Amino acid sequence: MNVIQTLTAIFLLVSSPLAIAAEDRFDIPRKKMLAEIVADMKYTAPVAGKTRLSEHTIKSMAETKRHLFVSRELLPYAYRNRPLPIGYGQTISQPYIVALMTELLDPDPEHRVLEIGTGSGYQAAVLAPLVKEIYTIEIVPQLHKKAKERLSKLGYTNIECRLGDGYFGWEDEAPFDSIIVTAAADHVPPSLVRQLKPGGRMIIPVGAQFVTQQLTLVTKDASGKVGARQILPVRFVPFTRGR
Ligand code: SAH
């Protein structure tokens, strides 16, 4: 064994139990969070029209480490089933809402998805294993930069991040199989409807700012006819416009 091999062996011996311990710390809270989400789904099934989460959504929620998307001070709360601040007046959504929105999109391995409101990148990370590609837009430069770096460091190769006003969607990459908007708008942006494929689904919180909004499922049928259905009351940070 040469010096480098010896040092590597010592490093592995010392570091791996620590790494495992760090993972274990979040393992139980993450399982508990998942159990709460599954229970929440049961309560809201009559309104949400979805009785349970698919195995794929559950697997992704179980494997996506929310503690890697929040700041150090908030680590003890990372697996609480509630939104948390991510700076600049924005929040990472409540895990149950992330799971529900993911489910309502009916993700498919062939789908190309547009997300408005990258925020921490957590929702995109949950969707990533379930679809082909995600195009995500964030309006706050600092959040865009941080999420882009985080997602790349975590090894996500099917998430494309862009800085800008998501009101206009992502024309160059349209049309999309589905669109997920994670900030509350007072109306459904027409360009997003246009960028949705026939047969596509958009999930968006619609309503006035700082009050309860309605999580709304917008569908476009094969002939291009658009319909909307309110799912349940939610509270999201506001959809802001061009800075
Ligand atoms: N999906 C995020 C939730 C972030 S909260 C997550 O999983 O962490 C909503 C985000 O939408 C905020 O970061 C906010 O800055 C962003 N946002 C608000 N209006 C926007 C707009 N017009 N275009 C793009 N992003 C917007």
Side-chain angles (χ1 to χ4, degrees):
M1 222 188 242
N2 65 26
V3 179
I4 292 185
Q5 282 169 330
T6 313
L7 285 177
T8 310
I10 292 171
F11 175 77
L12 286 176
L13 266 176
V14 175
S15 69
S16 48
L18 289 179
I20 292 166
E23 279 308 300
D24 279 352
R25 183 150 79 92
F26 293 108
D27 213 36
I28 292 169
R30 192 161 48 243
K31 286 196 174 107
K32 214 170 137 239
M33 176 193 87
L34 210 60
E36 278 176 39
I37 294 173
V38 169
D40 280 356
M41 281 299 288
K42 280 199 190 121
Y43 293 131
T44 54
V47 279
K50 288 267 177 192
T51 43
R52 51 197 287 275
L53 294 173
S54 71
E55 287 306 316
H56 298 299
T57 303
I58 293 182
K59 186 164 185 280
S60 189
M61 292 296 296
E63 289 176 357
T64 310
K65 296 176 173 151
R66 196 171 186 247
H67 69 269
L68 302 178
F69 294 81
V70 301
S71 58
R72 183 178 268 274
E73 317 82 74
L74 293 174
L75 282 180
Y77 310 101
Y79 293 99
R80 297 270 173 93
N81 191 14
R82 49 165 286 190
L84 293 171
I86 54 170
Y88 312 95
Q90 309 305 325
T91 57
I92 176 172
S93 308
Q94 180 188 355
Y96 156 70
I97 294 291
V98 171
L100 178 66
M101 289 174 83
T102 302
E103 195 67 32
L104 288 166
L105 282 185
D106 270 353
D108 178 283
E110 286 307 310
H111 279 181
R112 296 170 67 254
V113 183
L114 173 67
E115 179 189 36
I116 311 300
T118 316
S120 66
Y122 178 67
Q123 172 72 72
V126 167
L127 267 173
L130 311 178
V131 298
K132 191 169 177 201
E133 277 153 0
I134 301 167
Y135 297 85
T136 179
I137 309 178
E138 171 56 54
I139 202 165
V140 177
Q142 297 90 332
L143 290 176
H144 158 76
K145 185 167 179 281
K146 209 162 159 184
K148 191 178 158 84
E149 285 168 2
R150 173 183 284 139
L151 291 166
S152 139
K153 207 169 108 198
L154 292 174
Y156 290 94
T157 52
N158 63 341
I159 305 175
E160 189 91 26
C161 298
R162 172 186 267 192
L163 173 67
D165 183 351
Y167 187 84
F168 305 103
W170 194 317
E171 195 68 56
D172 303 347
E173 296 294 345
F176 300 96
D177 297 284
S178 59
I179 300 179
I180 175 167
V181 183
T182 64
D186 60 5
H187 64 275
V188 180
S191 29
L192 298 188
V193 177
R194 252 195 326 273
Q195 292 178 18
L196 192 61
K197 269 189 199 169
R201 300 158 80 82
M202 172 174 9
I203 184 87
I204 174 170
V206 183
Q209 293 183 6
F210 309 115
V211 293
T212 301
Q213 306 100 26
Q214 284 292 333
L215 192 62
T216 306
L217 177 66
V218 177
T219 48
K220 192 187 258 188
D221 73 12
S223 69
K225 192 165 153 264
V226 177
R229 179 163 75 82
Q230 294 187 343
I231 304 290
L232 86 178
V234 285
R235 268 187 95 157
F236 274 81
V237 293
F239 195 103
T240 52
R241 297 300 317 281
R243 293 184 185 180

